[in-house]
Amino acid sequence: MSAIDEGIVREYFEQNGFLVRQVRKYQVQSRKKHSEEEIDLLVYNPAWKREGRKPDFFLFATELPYLHRAVVAIKPWHTGVFSAATIKGSPEILRFLEEQVLKEVSRMFPADDDSPDSADEPAKILVLPGLPTQEPYRSQSVALLKERGVDGIISFRSMLLDLVNKVEVNRNYRKSDTLQVIRILKNYDLLRDGQLDLIGSDSR
């Protein structure tokens, strides 16, 4: 996973009011990851209110206020979609759901004094390029992810759309390469609010 992929996810949560922790700063390649190395990001919503409902499985920006805290696994396979066959054939996708990993997450997210019950356990969020658009493949993928223990998914497209709409051309985002690049593209009319397509391109 490249730094830009993780940067997009970090900016998405931060722009929506979350505190974000990056557990590790290095890339694991030549060996199997340790439990704590399966965690890409931990996110915490300080504005969360207990009386609110649970967020939907598809975590668009409008659902984030209902999310309290979560472990986030980022799978930036931008050249394809995550079908049920992909998930079954690539067990590493859901390795962040293993018992030892979740124990490490619980250690990093100690129970609040005012929320001792297990109903407030950190959500397990998967960030991916997208799911199949046709049925029954889409429903099969969602059912399999829920069955394996995933609480919610976010697509890179929905995150980028949200960031494009939030970035203002008249602000200098020099502390964030991700936001600054989006700002520059918008400044030169290569991106417009509500879309990610290059101007002059009709391809979808």
Side-chain angles (χ1 to χ4, degrees):
M1 177 177 56
S2 69
I4 187 64
D5 297 311
E6 194 165 272
I8 291 169
V9 182
R10 172 185 284 277
E11 291 293 353
Y12 176 71
F13 278 102
E14 289 183 346
Q15 289 294 309
N16 284 283
F18 281 73
L19 303 176
V20 181
R21 177 183 175 186
Q22 183 183 38
V23 179
R24 56 185 168 79
K25 299 287 187 179
Y26 56 88
Q27 183 71 37
V28 179
Q29 293 179 328
S30 58
R31 59 171 172 79
K32 183 179 179 180
K33 293 179 180 178
H34 300 309
S35 296
E36 68 276 9
E37 293 171 337
E38 293 291 347
I39 304 168
D40 292 322
L41 296 176
L42 297 173
V43 299
Y44 175 80
N45 182 5
W48 176 81
K49 295 181 180 179
R50 170 166 291 280
E51 60 270 18
R53 62 172 174 80
K54 289 186 177 181
D56 289 340
F57 186 72
F58 293 96
L59 284 171
F60 298 105
T62 53
E63 291 298 312
L64 292 182
Y66 305 105
L67 179 65
H68 186 196
R69 49 190 180 178
V71 52
V72 181
I74 306 169
K75 305 301 177 185
W77 297 358
H78 298 296
T79 55
V81 296
F82 275 57
S83 64
T86 304
I87 298 165
K88 291 178 180 178
S90 305
E92 68 274 11
I93 294 173
L94 302 180
R95 198 162 284 153
F96 78 109
L97 300 174
E98 293 179 355
E99 183 179 355
Q100 291 302 316
V101 180
L102 297 181
K103 283 183 179 178
E104 190 67 21
V105 172
S106 297
R107 185 186 69 80
M108 295 178 181
F109 270 134
D112 294 338
D113 293 337
D114 60 346
S115 58
D117 55 69
S118 59
D120 192 33
E121 293 179 354
K124 284 86 70 180
I125 306 301
L126 183 63
V127 176
L128 37 69
L131 293 177
T133 56
Q134 294 184 338
E135 295 292 356
Y137 307 108
R138 184 178 180 84
S139 297
Q140 290 173 351
S141 300
V142 171
L144 181 59
L145 289 170
K146 289 182 176 180
E147 178 186 313
R148 298 290 175 88
V150 175
D151 296 313
I153 62 171
I154 311 174
S155 73
F156 272 94
R157 180 176 177 82
S158 66
M159 287 189 297
L160 287 166
L161 282 169
D162 187 65
L163 289 176
V164 168
N165 287 333
K166 283 185 166 66
V167 166
E168 299 177 24
V169 175
N170 60 353
R171 288 191 176 183
N172 191 337
Y173 298 92
R174 61 181 181 179
K175 292 187 176 182
S176 168
D177 290 343
T178 301
L179 299 184
Q180 187 73 339
V181 167
I182 293 175
R183 177 212 174 203
I184 291 171
L185 290 173
K186 289 183 71 172
N187 184 62
Y188 289 102
D189 292 329
L190 296 174
L191 282 179
R192 294 176 293 185
D193 289 344
Q195 71 162 46
L196 291 179
D197 301 303
L198 291 176
I199 301 256
S201 173
D202 295 326
S203 60
R204 296 283 186 255

